[in-house]
Amino acid sequence: MKKTPGPDGAPASPGRRSLLKAGLAVGGLVATGGLARGSEVNPDNLPPNVADWSRYLGAGVDAAPYGVPSEYEAHVVRRSVEWLTASRESSVNFTPLHELDGVITPNGLCFERHHSGVADVNPTDYRLMINGLVDTPLVFTLDDLKRFPRENRLYFLECAANSGMEWRGAQLNGCQFTHGMVHCVMYTGVPLKYLLEEAGVKTNARWVMPEGGDSAGMNRSIPLEKALDDCMVAFKMNGEALRPEQGYPARLVVPGWEGNMWVKWLRRIEVGDEPWHAREETSKYTDLLEGGKARRFTWVMDTKSVITNPSPQAPILHGRGQTVLTGLAWSGNGRITRVDVTTDGGRNWHQARIDGPSLPKALHRFYYEFDWDGSPLLLQSRAHDDAGYVQPTKDALRAARGTNSIYHNNGIQTWEVKADGSVENVEIS
């Protein structure tokens, strides 16, 4: 299917005849996709026959009271890299971005990053203490927190080390592993300013230090201005209680800032007049620069994007023809205003179509439909945000930061699509 580009370089919407052709192609896609996963098409289930699943009663409403994914989606799971998760003291797994669409991450697929494993907190015994430079130190139960006015906010959460293995070149062959330490959910909780106002913050207060209930006692220093602006204490994600691996029963939400500051199993918030310079903000989570110096603080997750399909774990299986390229973009500074994509390694750029909600500090979904002629491709995406920031190339990032860091790699990612449709992680900039 060949289409005429729109006036702004974006692809025009396909006409009715084109859609009919696309429908026929989709049928082929389903069959091909099934074969790719190792299952064989049963011709008895194909039209005009009555499929097997239409002949018998299905399971009743009580078969799965909480609901579970289809057994045919069993491959859609978080995955880990063995050499990155050698112990329970420090573990991480990755969201399967290439299997998802839209901007909401299902709770069961949100990546995990723990500094001492998942704390098993009994909500009856849960308490949150606020102390330090306050008029009245307070201790809240979970029910106390739920009596404050609550808000719902959609935010992305990204680990500072997302794409950290790619600083010196292409390493991991799959966007799940190069970019899968990001997710986006609807958080429900209490603005932190309400709790701080209840305790009464003293005039010389400048910082807060949230502390986790895990055995690591994970803590970070956060400027009071940020705490009063948009931080919240969340107890729900996508409508249900936080999952244990996401900080049940309550965690801190720090919109747009690196994930380690979103302290899970939140048990204490101390108010102070200067940062604490704890372990996680001195020996860890600092950006080491080329000359050996380290940045004192790097909080915001800058503008970034990645093409999720096609990608190494999501090759082109249908052969030549209409192809849907899609991916995700996000910015810790605000909204994504534009995403450009290229299929020839940056010689020509095309404006992608952003579809779905466009909310500040949340994931944005983009699409670019094109006609693949079977020749090799070099795919890249480049995001812009409403602060005027443009996602840099990896070379530009290295020129400013060197190659000694692990954190805050938001450089442009390249996937190479080969003539057989397979995809590899490569680097051309």
Side-chain angles (χ1 to χ4, degrees), residues 78 92-97 100 103-106 109-113 155-163 175-185 187 246 259 262 301-302 304-306 308 328-331 361-364:
R78 294 178 292 216
V92 61
N93 60 20
F94 303 87
T95 295
L97 299 179
L100 306 179
V103 299
I104 301 293
T105 311
L109 295 177
C110 292
F111 80 93
E112 303 171 55
R113 170 73 177 101
Y155 291 127
F156 79 83
L157 188 167
E158 183 182 17
C159 177
N162 199 23
S163 311
C175 73
Q176 180 170 14
F177 305 114
T178 59
H179 290 74
M181 286 196 284
V182 65
H183 58 67
C184 186
V185 305
Y187 291 99
Q246 300 298 331
W262 301 44
M301 301 308 297
D302 278 325
K304 189 170 177 178
S305 68
V306 64
T308 57
L328 293 165
W330 59 98
S331 170
K361 302 170 186 175
L363 292 186
H364 292 63

Side-chain angles (χ1 to χ4, degrees), residues 373-396:
D373 63 5
S375 60
L377 306 173
L378 289 172
L379 305 181
Q380 296 178 326
S381 62
R382 180 179 63 192
H384 308 238
D385 71 16
D386 57 7
Y389 184 94
V390 181
Q391 184 180 2
T393 64
K394 290 187 177 179
D395 279 349

Side-chain angles (χ1 to χ4, degrees), residues 207-265:
W207 294 78
V208 300
M209 184 192 69
E211 182 180 73
D214 54 342
S215 61
M218 180 68 187
N219 61 4
R220 287 297 309 265
S221 302
I222 298 176
L224 180 62
E225 183 180 12
K226 176 68 173 177
L228 296 174
D229 178 24
D230 59 1
C231 290
M232 62 193 297
V233 176
F235 39 79
K236 302 276 188 181
M237 53 190 291
N238 291 337
E240 69 173 17
L242 293 179
R243 296 288 174 101
E245 64 269 26
Q246 300 298 331
Y248 178 86
R251 77 173 308 164
L252 191 66
V253 170
V254 189
W257 288 21
E258 59 186 27
N260 62 82
M261 305 178 84
W262 301 44
V263 172
K264 294 177 282 191
W265 316 286

Side-chain angles (χ1 to χ4, degrees), residues 27 34 38 85 98 101 126 146 155 175 183 195 207 234 238 258 269 315 340 345 355 406 425:
T85 57
H98 62 291
D101 216 318
Y126 175 78
K146 292 180 178 178
Y155 291 127
C175 73
H183 58 67
L195 305 181
W207 294 78
N238 291 337
E258 59 186 27
I269 298 175
D340 301 323
D355 191 80
I406 296 175
N425 180 11

